[in-house]
Amino acid sequence: MTTKVTRDRLFFAFEPMLIPAIHVAQGEDVVLETHDCFEGQIQTPFDLIDKLDWNHVNPATGPVYIEGTKPGDILRVDLLEVKIGQQSSMVTIPGEGVLGDVITKMETTILKLENDHLVFKDKIRIPKKPMIGVIGVAPSSGSVPNGTPGPHGGNMDCTLMCEGNSVYFTVGVEGALFGAGDFHAAMGDGEIVVCGAETSGELHFQAQVVEMKGLPTPFVESPELIATIYSAFTIDEASNGAVHRMAQFLTEFVKIPLNDAGMLMSLVGQLKFCQVVDPLKTVRFEFPKWILAEYGFSL
Ligand code: CA
Ligand code: ZN
């Protein structure tokens, strides 16, 4: 049986005092229906960004209280299925994003989903690659708006937040208070104009506590790789954070000597941008799983 949380159960900031939308057991099948990052305000090319009610931007569905989770626990969330809506939207916003200095025209474009492709301007067909922009748990204190990434997760806009992968968070409060929203039908690394193909969706997941206390989170696992994720005000700091966290994981968890870990990271690791357009930039460091296996380690 699957438990469903409908898309009217929204919140706009990850914080300890949120009222849970639902309580679920560890390992329970849960589906979250999500709104797009505009809460459905943009439906046609005539819905321009200046008409938006900014109090209804970046909603997440939830939060989901996961029974038996305590602060400091590592919560693994298996992203079993990530579905997207039949259409998505993109916008340009003068002054925003990496090209904000040269883009002067506000525009909205709608991309329809046709046979697993997004149709861009009636001519370019782009394979869909659904991913989750906002995903996280409540921090132990304070309030983090959903538009902001951080140690709790949030608006990381990381393309690895997709079907088949697992994401790990450090629980901040009892019940974890997990939520997700801001799905993209596709998005490139960097998120140059501050949006992907923004769409509504459905996340089918299971969450459970795993024995990995001290794991540098947020942390993500795909069938082929693992990645550490770090957000900071500059790309330099964010890169440094993601790299140091991977080195920490490889030395503390996989028991690879530091020099070897560094050399291997230099040989087969990949430093990648998640998004470089929010006040806090998000960077990840990817490392292949097969090397972990050579050291006798598996997640
Ligand atoms: Ca986002
Ligand atoms: Zn988005």
Side-chain angles (χ1 to χ4, degrees):
M1 207 193 78
T2 302
T3 305
K4 190 175 228 175
V5 185
T6 51
R7 60 173 61 82
D8 55 314
R9 302 304 301 266
L10 298 177
F11 67 95
F12 292 88
F14 286 92
E15 51 196 20
M17 299 309 288
L18 289 171
I19 310 290
I22 197 165
H23 287 60
V24 304
Q26 292 184 38
E28 188 171 334
D29 277 291
V30 188
V31 167
L32 296 186
E33 283 183 359
T34 63
H35 269 297
D36 66 33
C37 71
F38 306 118
E39 209 183 312
Q41 294 180 78
I42 291 188
Q43 294 295 333
T44 78
F46 306 104
D47 299 329
L48 293 176
I49 199 93
D50 62 344
K51 291 201 307 197
L52 278 187
D53 175 353
W54 289 91
N55 291 318
H56 289 272
V57 167
N58 273 324
T61 302
V64 178
Y65 184 106
I66 296 147
E67 302 285 359
T69 58
K70 298 179 302 299
D73 283 346
I74 300 298
L75 184 72
R76 190 185 80 211
V77 182
D78 299 324
L79 310 176
L80 303 176
E81 209 174 359
V82 178
K83 290 192 198 163
I84 50 168
Q86 276 305 304
Q87 75 169 32
S88 50
S89 60
M90 291 198 79
V91 296
T92 53
I93 316 172
E96 294 290 330
V98 186
L99 292 173
D101 57 332
V102 286
I103 287 181
T104 55
K105 193 170 144 254
M106 240 186 318
E107 181 180 342
T108 294
T109 193
I110 303 295
L111 300 90
K112 298 263 191 243
L113 186 65
E114 273 182 24
N115 303 323
D116 290 342
H117 286 71
L118 306 174
V119 184
F120 179 78
K121 304 260 166 139
D122 291 330
K123 68 175 178 234
I124 311 288
R125 297 174 64 79
I126 296 164
K128 73 169 185 183
K129 212 162 173 274
M131 53 142 313
I132 302 170
V134 172
I135 183 167
V137 296
S140 57
S141 65
S143 173
V144 189
N146 287 356
T148 305
H152 72 297
N155 190 21
M156 297 179 284
D157 285 317
C158 174
T159 51
L160 292 177
M161 301 297 160
C162 61
E163 185 171 304
N165 291 358
S166 296
V167 52
Y168 297 71
F169 298 105
T170 302
V171 174
V173 296
E174 262 181 39
L177 304 181
F178 170 79
D182 181 30
F183 288 20
H184 301 150
M187 191 196 95
D189 280 338
E191 204 189 22
I192 299 309
V193 300
V194 206
C195 63
E198 305 294 332
T199 185
S200 58
E202 271 187 35
L203 166 64
H204 173 194
F205 74 93
Q206 291 176 350
Q208 59 196 52
V209 171
V210 291
E211 284 309 314
M212 295 194 78
K213 280 237 165 72
L215 184 73
T217 54
F219 186 95
V220 59
E221 174 191 4
S222 81
E224 299 81 31
L225 58 85
I226 53 164
T228 47
I229 300 170
Y230 198 82
S231 300
F233 284 109
T234 66
I235 293 167
D236 282 4
E237 286 172 273
S239 303
N240 197 53
V243 166
H244 279 82
R245 276 156 178 250
M246 182 58 76
Q248 181 196 339
F249 171 76
L250 294 176
T251 54
E252 289 177 12
F253 284 80
V254 192
K255 309 292 183 203
I256 304 177
L258 178 62
N259 285 4
D260 292 1
M263 286 190 272
L264 287 167
M265 287 171 67
S266 207
L267 272 172
V268 292
Q270 308 286 340
L271 185 62
K272 293 185 179 175
F273 298 145
C274 297
Q275 58 77 23
V276 298
V277 290
D278 293 339
L280 288 167
K281 323 295 180 213
T282 305
V283 170
R284 69 179 181 272
F285 190 87
E286 300 178 352
F287 193 81
K289 262 182 169 174
W290 70 266
I291 297 205
L292 309 184
E294 296 288 317
Y295 283 88
F297 182 90
S298 67
L299 280 152

